[in-house]
Amino acid sequence: MAAGAGVIKAMVTGGGLTKDGPKSWQSQFTPKELQALVDEAHQAGVPVAAHAHGTDGITAAVEAGVDTIEHCTWMTADGFDLRQDVLKQIIDRDIAVCPAVSPHWEMLPRFFGEERAEAMFDLVRQMAEAGARLIAGTDAGVQRAGFDGLVPALSFYAHLGLPNSRILDMATADAAGALGLGETTGRIAPRFRADLLVIDGDPLKDLSALKNVQAVVAAGLLLEPGRTAEQQ
Protein backbone atom coordinates (compact mmCIF):
# COMPACT_ATOMS: atom_id res chain seq x y z
CA MET A 1 0.00 0.00 0.00
CA ALA A 2 2.91 2.34 0.71
CA ALA A 3 4.01 1.73 -2.88
CA GLY A 4 0.60 2.78 -4.17
CA ALA A 5 -1.40 -0.45 -4.42
CA GLY A 6 -5.11 0.23 -4.90
CA VAL A 7 -6.31 -3.25 -3.99
CA ILE A 8 -4.95 -6.21 -2.05
CA LYS A 9 -5.58 -9.69 -3.47
CA ALA A 10 -5.00 -12.58 -1.11
CA MET A 11 -4.51 -16.15 -2.34
CA VAL A 12 -6.65 -17.48 0.48
CA THR A 13 -6.53 -21.03 -0.93
CA GLY A 14 -4.35 -22.82 -3.45
CA GLY A 15 -4.80 -22.19 -7.15
CA GLY A 16 -3.65 -25.45 -8.66
CA LEU A 17 -1.01 -23.79 -10.87
CA THR A 18 2.05 -23.87 -8.61
CA LYS A 19 4.09 -27.08 -8.75
CA ASP A 20 3.93 -28.85 -5.39
CA GLY A 21 1.84 -25.98 -4.02
CA PRO A 22 -1.29 -26.27 -1.86
CA LYS A 23 -4.32 -27.93 -3.40
CA SER A 24 -7.11 -25.64 -4.55
CA TRP A 25 -9.25 -26.42 -1.51
CA GLN A 26 -6.43 -25.96 1.02
CA SER A 27 -6.22 -22.72 3.00
CA GLN A 28 -3.02 -20.70 2.97
CA PHE A 29 -3.90 -18.22 5.74
CA THR A 30 -5.23 -18.68 9.24
CA PRO A 31 -8.45 -16.81 10.05
CA LYS A 32 -6.40 -14.56 12.36
CA GLU A 33 -3.96 -13.69 9.57
CA LEU A 34 -6.80 -12.92 7.17
CA GLN A 35 -8.48 -10.69 9.72
CA ALA A 36 -5.26 -8.73 10.24
CA LEU A 37 -4.81 -8.37 6.48
CA VAL A 38 -8.35 -7.09 5.92
CA ASP A 39 -8.23 -4.76 8.92
CA GLU A 40 -4.97 -3.15 7.76
CA ALA A 41 -6.18 -2.75 4.17
CA HIS A 42 -9.54 -1.30 5.18
CA GLN A 43 -7.93 1.14 7.62
CA ALA A 44 -5.98 2.45 4.63
CA GLY A 45 -9.12 2.61 2.49
CA VAL A 46 -8.05 -0.26 0.23
CA PRO A 47 -10.41 -3.14 -0.70
CA VAL A 48 -9.46 -6.81 -0.43
CA ALA A 49 -10.10 -9.46 -3.07
CA ALA A 50 -9.92 -13.10 -2.00
CA HIS A 51 -8.96 -15.92 -4.35
CA ALA A 52 -10.81 -18.77 -2.65
CA HIS A 53 -11.75 -22.20 -3.99
CA GLY A 54 -11.97 -24.10 -0.72
CA THR A 55 -15.01 -23.92 1.53
CA ASP A 56 -12.88 -23.33 4.64
CA GLY A 57 -11.03 -20.51 2.91
CA ILE A 58 -14.27 -18.95 1.68
CA THR A 59 -15.65 -19.09 5.22
CA ALA A 60 -12.56 -17.44 6.69
CA ALA A 61 -12.54 -14.75 3.99
CA VAL A 62 -16.18 -13.89 4.61
CA GLU A 63 -15.69 -13.74 8.36
CA ALA A 64 -12.67 -11.47 7.86
CA GLY A 65 -14.80 -9.08 5.78
CA VAL A 66 -13.24 -9.22 2.32
CA ASP A 67 -14.84 -7.16 -0.43
CA THR A 68 -14.89 -9.69 -3.28
CA ILE A 69 -14.39 -13.43 -3.65
CA GLU A 70 -12.84 -14.84 -6.82
CA HIS A 71 -13.90 -18.37 -7.87
CA CYS A 72 -15.90 -19.31 -4.75
CA THR A 73 -16.16 -22.94 -5.86
CA TRP A 74 -16.86 -24.41 -2.39
CA MET A 75 -14.29 -27.20 -2.78
CA THR A 76 -13.36 -29.74 -0.12
CA ALA A 77 -10.85 -32.58 -0.21
CA ASP A 78 -13.52 -34.99 -1.40
CA GLY A 79 -16.07 -32.86 -3.24
CA PHE A 80 -18.06 -29.69 -2.67
CA ASP A 81 -19.78 -28.16 0.34
CA LEU A 82 -21.81 -24.98 -0.12
CA ARG A 83 -22.49 -23.76 3.40
CA GLN A 84 -25.82 -21.98 3.41
CA ASP A 85 -24.95 -19.96 6.52
CA VAL A 86 -21.81 -18.63 4.82
CA LEU A 87 -23.72 -17.89 1.60
CA LYS A 88 -26.21 -15.92 3.66
CA GLN A 89 -23.35 -13.85 5.09
CA ILE A 90 -22.02 -13.22 1.58
CA ILE A 91 -25.44 -11.90 0.57
CA ASP A 92 -26.07 -9.93 3.77
CA ARG A 93 -22.65 -8.28 3.59
CA ASP A 94 -23.04 -7.63 -0.16
CA ILE A 95 -19.74 -9.32 -0.96
CA ALA A 96 -19.36 -9.59 -4.74
CA VAL A 97 -18.58 -13.04 -6.13
CA CYS A 98 -16.75 -13.52 -9.43
CA PRO A 99 -16.91 -17.19 -10.49
CA ALA A 100 -14.11 -16.43 -13.01
CA VAL A 101 -15.67 -18.71 -15.60
CA SER A 102 -13.38 -19.96 -18.35
CA PRO A 103 -14.27 -18.95 -21.91
CA HIS A 104 -14.01 -22.68 -22.59
CA TRP A 105 -16.39 -23.72 -19.84
CA GLU A 106 -18.11 -26.21 -22.14
CA MET A 107 -14.92 -28.32 -22.02
CA LEU A 108 -15.05 -28.73 -18.23
CA PRO A 109 -17.04 -32.01 -18.32
CA ARG A 110 -14.17 -33.46 -20.37
CA PHE A 111 -11.62 -32.47 -17.72
CA PHE A 112 -13.61 -33.07 -14.54
CA GLY A 113 -16.23 -35.60 -15.66
CA GLU A 114 -19.90 -34.92 -16.35
CA GLU A 115 -21.08 -35.35 -12.76
CA ARG A 116 -18.41 -33.18 -11.13
CA ALA A 117 -18.74 -30.46 -13.77
CA GLU A 118 -22.51 -30.36 -13.36
CA ALA A 119 -22.07 -30.09 -9.59
CA MET A 120 -19.75 -27.11 -10.11
CA PHE A 121 -22.26 -25.48 -12.44
CA ASP A 122 -25.08 -26.04 -9.98
CA LEU A 123 -23.17 -24.29 -7.18
CA VAL A 124 -23.07 -21.10 -9.24
CA ARG A 125 -26.76 -21.52 -10.03
CA GLN A 126 -27.54 -21.86 -6.31
CA MET A 127 -25.63 -18.67 -5.50
CA ALA A 128 -27.43 -16.80 -8.26
CA GLU A 129 -30.85 -18.02 -7.18
CA ALA A 130 -30.12 -17.17 -3.54
CA GLY A 131 -29.41 -13.56 -4.53
CA ALA A 132 -25.62 -13.38 -4.35
CA ARG A 133 -24.12 -10.42 -6.22
CA LEU A 134 -22.38 -12.24 -9.05
CA ILE A 135 -20.10 -10.36 -11.43
CA ALA A 136 -18.57 -11.51 -14.71
CA GLY A 137 -14.88 -12.25 -15.14
CA THR A 138 -12.73 -14.90 -16.82
CA ASP A 139 -9.47 -15.24 -14.84
CA ALA A 140 -7.76 -14.08 -18.05
CA GLY A 141 -4.07 -14.85 -18.20
CA VAL A 142 -4.17 -18.46 -17.01
CA GLN A 143 -4.18 -21.40 -19.40
CA ARG A 144 -6.88 -21.34 -22.06
CA ALA A 145 -8.24 -18.00 -20.82
CA GLY A 146 -7.28 -15.16 -23.15
CA PHE A 147 -8.16 -11.53 -22.74
CA ASP A 148 -10.79 -11.77 -25.48
CA GLY A 149 -12.86 -14.44 -23.77
CA LEU A 150 -15.54 -12.52 -21.90
CA VAL A 151 -18.35 -13.03 -24.41
CA PRO A 152 -18.07 -16.85 -24.60
CA ALA A 153 -17.77 -16.92 -20.80
CA LEU A 154 -21.06 -15.03 -20.49
CA SER A 155 -22.83 -17.88 -22.28
CA PHE A 156 -22.18 -19.99 -19.17
CA TYR A 157 -24.68 -17.92 -17.20
CA ALA A 158 -27.26 -18.23 -19.98
CA HIS A 159 -26.71 -22.00 -19.75
CA LEU A 160 -27.63 -21.78 -16.06
CA GLY A 161 -30.88 -20.04 -16.97
CA LEU A 162 -30.06 -16.45 -15.99
CA PRO A 163 -31.80 -13.83 -18.15
CA ASN A 164 -29.61 -11.90 -20.58
CA SER A 165 -30.49 -8.63 -18.88
CA ARG A 166 -28.98 -9.82 -15.60
CA ILE A 167 -25.92 -11.24 -17.35
CA LEU A 168 -25.28 -7.89 -19.05
CA ASP A 169 -25.58 -6.13 -15.68
CA MET A 170 -23.04 -8.59 -14.24
CA ALA A 171 -20.58 -7.60 -16.98
CA THR A 172 -21.18 -3.84 -16.73
CA ALA A 173 -22.84 -2.01 -13.84
CA ASP A 174 -22.39 -4.76 -11.25
CA ALA A 175 -18.74 -5.34 -12.17
CA ALA A 176 -18.03 -1.61 -12.06
CA GLY A 177 -19.63 -1.39 -8.64
CA ALA A 178 -17.56 -4.26 -7.30
CA LEU A 179 -14.40 -2.53 -8.53
CA GLY A 180 -15.35 0.71 -6.80
CA LEU A 181 -16.09 2.40 -10.14
CA GLY A 182 -19.87 2.30 -9.92
CA GLU A 183 -20.22 6.07 -9.75
CA THR A 184 -18.21 6.75 -12.89
CA THR A 185 -18.70 3.91 -15.38
CA GLY A 186 -20.69 0.76 -16.08
CA ARG A 187 -23.88 2.58 -17.09
CA ILE A 188 -25.01 5.06 -19.71
CA ALA A 189 -26.05 8.01 -17.58
CA PRO A 190 -25.38 11.74 -17.09
CA ARG A 191 -21.97 12.52 -15.53
CA PHE A 192 -20.70 8.99 -16.22
CA ARG A 193 -17.72 8.34 -18.48
CA ALA A 194 -18.59 7.67 -22.11
CA ASP A 195 -17.50 4.02 -22.11
CA LEU A 196 -19.55 2.36 -24.83
CA LEU A 197 -19.47 -0.83 -26.89
CA VAL A 198 -21.18 -0.35 -30.24
CA ILE A 199 -22.35 -3.66 -31.71
CA ASP A 200 -24.52 -4.97 -34.53
CA GLY A 201 -27.37 -6.85 -32.86
CA ASP A 202 -29.39 -7.08 -29.67
CA PRO A 203 -27.61 -8.83 -26.77
CA LEU A 204 -30.86 -8.93 -24.79
CA LYS A 205 -31.98 -11.51 -27.36
CA ASP A 206 -28.62 -13.08 -28.24
CA LEU A 207 -25.45 -12.60 -26.19
CA SER A 208 -23.28 -13.61 -29.14
CA ALA A 209 -24.20 -10.25 -30.70
CA LEU A 210 -21.54 -8.81 -28.39
CA LYS A 211 -18.93 -10.28 -30.73
CA ASN A 212 -20.13 -8.07 -33.60
CA VAL A 213 -18.16 -5.02 -32.49
CA GLN A 214 -18.51 -1.97 -34.73
CA ALA A 215 -16.72 0.54 -32.51
CA VAL A 216 -15.60 1.22 -28.96
CA VAL A 217 -15.88 4.54 -27.15
CA ALA A 218 -13.45 4.68 -24.21
CA ALA A 219 -13.76 7.76 -21.97
CA GLY A 220 -15.28 9.59 -24.93
CA LEU A 221 -12.61 8.59 -27.44
CA LEU A 222 -13.95 6.75 -30.52
CA LEU A 223 -11.95 3.68 -31.54
CA GLU A 224 -12.92 1.78 -34.66
CA PRO A 225 -11.67 -1.70 -35.67
CA GLY A 226 -8.92 -1.68 -38.28
CA ARG A 227 -7.77 1.86 -37.54
CA THR A 228 -4.69 2.83 -35.51
CA ALA A 229 -4.87 5.29 -32.64
CA GLU A 230 -3.35 7.97 -34.89
CA GLN A 231 -6.12 7.41 -37.46
CA GLN A 232 -8.99 7.67 -35.00
Side-chain angles (χ1 to χ4, degrees):
M1 290 185 289
V7 61
I8 301 298
K9 182 175 181 180
M11 293 292 290
V12 176
T13 69
L17 298 179
T18 304
K19 189 178 185 298
D20 300 324
K23 302 298 183 182
S24 295
W25 62 83
Q26 292 179 324
S27 298
Q28 302 192 91
F29 292 84
T30 66
K32 186 176 180 179
E33 289 170 335
L34 271 181
Q35 190 66 67
L37 184 154
V38 172
D39 288 347
E40 288 295 319
H42 284 176
Q43 285 175 21
V46 175
V48 177
H51 162 106
H53 283 291
T55 297
D56 289 342
I58 294 168
T59 300
V62 171
E63 291 178 349
V66 300
D67 300 280
T68 67
I69 302 174
E70 278 57 59
H71 303 292
C72 202
T73 42
W74 304 97
M75 287 185 179
T76 65
D78 55 3
F80 302 97
D81 179 22
L82 191 160
R83 297 179 185 170
Q84 293 295 334
D85 59 323
V86 178
L87 177 56
K88 185 177 186 303
Q89 289 185 64
I90 290 173
I91 296 168
D92 290 347
R93 298 184 181 191
D94 199 28
I95 298 173
V97 174
C98 179
V101 174
S102 168
H104 307 289
W105 62 270
E106 291 175 293
M107 298 173 61
L108 292 181
R110 189 186 311 172
F111 292 110
F112 295 108
E114 293 281 350
E115 185 175 344
R116 183 175 175 84
E118 186 52 45
M120 295 170 69
F121 295 172
D122 188 59
L123 290 170
V124 180
R125 183 184 293 111
Q126 288 185 54
M127 289 190 287
E129 292 177 348
R133 181 158 62 108
L134 300 183
I135 57 175
T138 64
D139 211 19
V142 301
Q143 299 100 319
R144 296 180 293 277
F147 291 91
D148 58 352
L150 181 59
V151 175
L154 294 180
S155 67
F156 169 78
Y157 300 103
H159 174 74
L160 297 185
L162 275 65
N164 286 5
S165 57
R166 180 175 178 183
I167 297 170
L168 291 171
D169 283 344
M170 289 167 52
T172 54
D174 295 343
L179 293 172
L181 302 173
E183 299 302 316
T184 58
T185 190
R187 295 189 291 127
I188 301 173
R191 295 182 300 278
F192 276 57
R193 289 179 13 152
D195 294 330
L196 310 171
L197 182 68
V198 183
I199 63 172
D200 182 8
D202 183 358
L204 288 172
K205 296 179 180 178
D206 181 6
L207 288 172
S208 66
L210 294 168
K211 297 179 182 179
N212 304 324
V213 178
Q214 304 301 300
V216 172
V217 179
L221 177 63
L222 175 64
L223 304 171
E224 297 178 281
R227 302 183 67 186
T228 65
E230 291 75 15
Q231 295 172 324
Q232 302 294 339

